[in-house]
Amino acid sequence: MILFNVPRTRRRRLGVAAAAGGLLAALLTAAPAAATPDPGDAPPASKEIPKSAQAEAREAIAEGEIPAQDEIVHSNNIRHVAHVPKEALTGTNSDLAFQGRYAFAGNYDGFTIYDISNPKSPMTVSQVLCPGSQNDISVSGDLLFLSTDSSRSDSSCNSTTQPVTEKSSWEGMKVFDISNKRNPRYVAAVETACGSHTHSLVPEGKNVYVYVSSYSPNAAYPDCQPPHDGISVIKVPRKAPHRAAVVGFPVLFPGEGPDGGGNPGGPTNPGVSKTTGCHDITVLPSKDLAAGACMGDGILLSIKDPERPKVIDRVQDNVNFAFWHSATFNQRADKVVFTDELGGGGAATCNAEVGPDRGADGIYDVVGKGDKRKLVFRSYFKIPRHQADTENCVAHNGSLIPVKGKDLMVQAWYQGGVSVWDFTNSSKPKEIAYFERGPLSTDQLVTGGSWSAYYYNGYIYSNDMAKGFDVLKIDDRRTDPARWVKMRELNVQTQPDYFD
């Protein structure tokens, strides 16, 4: 481990050339981003697009339909108050977590701790070099948790990429002591089946339970064998994190055969990912609930017993959802927003060809009581601005904006930027604010944009994959009451009761 210490809303009418359509189809039918034999830790390679699509992007910029390359645009009710470019960690930026006056930013090369006591001037406190995609990040008390979902030579921060077909390869969870923010200490590593693409914390007094989501098993992978139809549960004693260990692997999709009982995907359900694990789980401890986004399935779980989560309802959308990516409860836990990461985050899906119902959010009401609760679909939401075919854009990570009596959310859309939207009426969601940059390139599809956009103590924080750390301020009567809600800690995948 190496430590670096440092003191507008409109719908664009972009056309889609036939050749570009062929490229898009190829991208969308490809498997989403996943653990592969030796993915390394680099971002996806740039993709050439047809000259007709390149010309179309340049024309749209010239006519003011989309921002110019790297130009910043936003609605009148959002201000861009700070930007911190990448420093020592030059890899892909990923998720965010918060505690007190600190923000913790994941990066494929490790993680950065920022002092955000003055949100208009964030200061870098420390940077830790510890490669391993995608370094999904959470914090609880003095502990920081980091996911590794690329095959490594060992569990150390000095590891190198190694084929997953080798039994000695390592993937899983890393745990750091962050009692000294300027000098985090690596204290534990726990190997998990198929690695850890993402994780969610269930804090329980003396222990922290970690739900580890991973997927894409293969009979050729010694530590990632099919069927992989559940999640790993790790128990971490707060006072003895070195004793962290897997305490169970609850099966969420029981079924016969080598693939378990999840969505079979294609060819039964063309264009839909086969369920071979979960991508992300969001827990709501105050309600003993969790919602899982599991490739081809969306699930609602009871977590009354944190070591043994139990599925109480399961839904599929084999028409418009390609890959169930993440989930967000509203405050009353009577709605769940699921996201569809069509194209795995590397495709241009915010355009006229794909339309408003794919690569979007799906809003579900939670009806009934107890273990008889059901998920009932109400509507889709997608940003109302078309992007160029050189911009990867799809629904990604977001959080609630805590306003009593309202269901408001801020959300990242990669190069589609940051969107603030209202789903108080489940059937009629609407955008109320946005922020975005122009395309990284007008010649190639270059992966970038906001990975995560979260609301924390009066500000919106965004981790841009390519550009760095952004701070936004929203000034709107609909979101203003949230300023009075102050959190001591926030991991978005461990949703708090904001008004308790």
Side-chain angles (χ1 to χ4, degrees):
M1 181 182 83
I2 298 177
L3 173 69
F4 302 95
N5 275 320
V6 185
R8 79 213 136 114
T9 304
R10 65 189 184 279
R11 182 169 295 281
R12 300 183 184 126
R13 297 175 294 173
L14 295 180
V16 181
L23 170 68
L24 179 66
L27 288 170
L28 298 189
T29 55
T36 54
D38 190 14
D41 302 301
S46 301
K47 303 178 182 73
E48 293 293 336
I49 66 170
K51 292 190 180 300
S52 56
Q54 297 176 28
E56 190 176 74
R58 290 191 289 270
E59 182 181 353
I61 289 171
E63 294 181 357
E65 291 184 345
I66 65 174
Q69 194 169 343
D70 289 336
E71 178 188 3
I72 290 176
V73 297
H74 53 83
S75 54
N76 292 334
N77 54 355
I78 273 189
R79 290 180 286 128
H80 189 206
V81 300
H83 174 69
V84 183
K86 290 182 182 179
E87 299 172 85
L89 305 181
T90 59
T92 300
N93 280 338
S94 58
D95 211 2
L96 293 168
F98 305 90
Q99 186 182 84
R101 62 188 178 99
Y102 298 102
F104 304 81
N107 177 286
Y108 277 39
D109 288 340
F111 64 92
T112 299
I113 302 177
Y114 295 104
D115 183 335
I116 55 170
S117 53
N118 179 1
K120 296 179 181 179
S121 184
M123 302 294 292
T124 301
V125 176
S126 57
Q127 299 175 78
V128 174
L129 178 64
C130 194
S133 70
Q134 54 189 18
N135 279 341
D136 194 52
I137 193 167
S138 296
V139 294
S140 183
D142 287 337
L143 300 178
L144 180 147
F145 302 84
L146 211 59
S147 285
T148 300
D149 192 35
S150 64
S151 186
R152 311 296 300 178
S153 56
D154 55 57
S155 63
S156 77
C157 287
N158 298 316
S159 67
T160 58
T161 59
Q162 180 168 292
V164 72
T165 51
E166 294 187 22
K167 176 62 179 172
S168 63
S169 295
W170 186 91
E171 299 179 65
M173 290 297 308
K174 296 169 181 170
V175 184
F176 292 77
D177 183 321
I178 54 168
S179 52
N180 181 349
K181 303 297 188 294
R182 298 188 62 83
N183 188 26
R185 292 187 303 109
Y186 186 10
V187 295
V190 181
E191 188 170 14
T192 54
C194 301
S196 174
H197 195 69
T198 66
H199 67 270
S200 308
L201 305 185
V202 186
E204 286 280 319
K206 296 180 179 180
N207 302 302
V208 179
Y209 289 96
V210 185
Y211 290 170
V212 176
S213 295
S214 55
Y215 52 95
S216 293
N218 189 299
Y221 303 167
D223 299 317
C224 185
Q225 293 282 300
H228 184 72
D229 47 14
I231 58 173
S232 298
V233 178
I234 298 174
K235 183 178 181 179
V236 185
R238 290 187 185 275
K239 294 186 177 180
H242 60 281
R243 295 181 181 172
V246 175
V247 294
F249 186 86
V251 174
L252 306 179
F253 302 98
E256 309 227 347
D259 297 322
N263 195 319
T268 303
N269 297 314
V272 177
S273 296
K274 178 168 69 173
T275 298
T276 58
C278 290
H279 179 277
D280 210 340
I281 290 176
T282 293
V283 300
L284 189 59
S286 64
K287 306 290 186 184
D288 289 329
L289 283 176
C294 302
M295 304 182 73
D297 293 270
I299 55 176
L300 187 67
L301 305 101
S302 168
I303 58 169
K304 288 180 180 178
D305 182 345
E307 289 191 23
R308 299 171 182 82
K310 180 178 69 173
V311 176
I312 57 179
D313 195 31
R314 170 183 165 194
V315 290
Q316 296 179 355
D317 180 346
N318 294 319
V319 176
N320 288 315
F321 260 48
F323 187 83
W324 295 68
H325 174 274
S326 54
T328 303
F329 288 97
N330 69 338
Q331 179 61 35
R332 295 179 301 278
D334 58 8
K335 297 175 189 173
V336 181
V337 174
F338 289 102
T339 66
D340 171 27
E341 194 183 41
L342 176 68
T349 73
C350 296
N351 53 32
E353 183 184 15
V354 174
D357 296 339
R358 302 182 66 214
D361 296 316
I363 304 165
Y364 287 74
D365 283 351
V366 180
V367 299
K369 295 182 179 181
D371 288 355
K372 294 185 178 180
R373 281 173 282 197
K374 299 291 182 183
L375 294 164
V376 179
F377 174 76
R378 294 302 186 207
S379 66
Y380 299 108
F381 170 77
K382 194 171 184 179
I383 56 173
R385 294 173 307 288
H386 288 162
Q387 308 296 311
D389 283 345
T390 59
E391 296 179 278
N392 62 308
C393 176
V394 75
H396 213 237
N397 294 347
S399 77
L400 291 185
I401 298 178
V403 175
K404 278 189 176 181
K406 297 289 185 181
D407 296 324
L408 305 175
M409 186 171 175
V410 58
Q411 187 174 7
W413 289 78
Y414 291 120
Q415 286 193 73
V418 175
S419 175
V420 179
W421 58 291
D422 184 335
F423 63 104
T424 307
N425 182 337
S426 304
S427 300
K428 294 183 178 181
K430 59 183 179 182
E431 184 177 77
I432 61 175
Y434 72 90
F435 166 91
E436 68 168 291
R437 289 182 169 92
L440 289 169
S441 170
T442 57
D443 300 322
Q444 303 178 78
L445 199 164
V446 180
T447 302
S450 179
W451 177 292
S452 297
Y454 299 145
Y455 185 93
Y456 178 71
N457 291 353
Y459 289 82
I460 292 169
Y461 297 88
S462 168
N463 214 17
D464 188 291
M465 296 169 68
K467 294 294 185 180
F469 183 68
D470 289 300
V471 186
L472 311 176
K473 187 76 165 68
I474 183 166
D475 294 298
D476 190 288
R477 59 178 176 77
R478 292 163 290 192
T479 61
D480 284 349
R483 296 176 183 177
W484 305 107
V485 179
K486 301 298 182 182
M487 306 299 299
R488 292 190 297 271
E489 190 171 274
L490 179 65
N491 300 295
V492 169
Q493 287 73 36
T494 304
Q495 279 193 229
D497 185 337
Y498 287 99
F499 306 111
D500 183 6

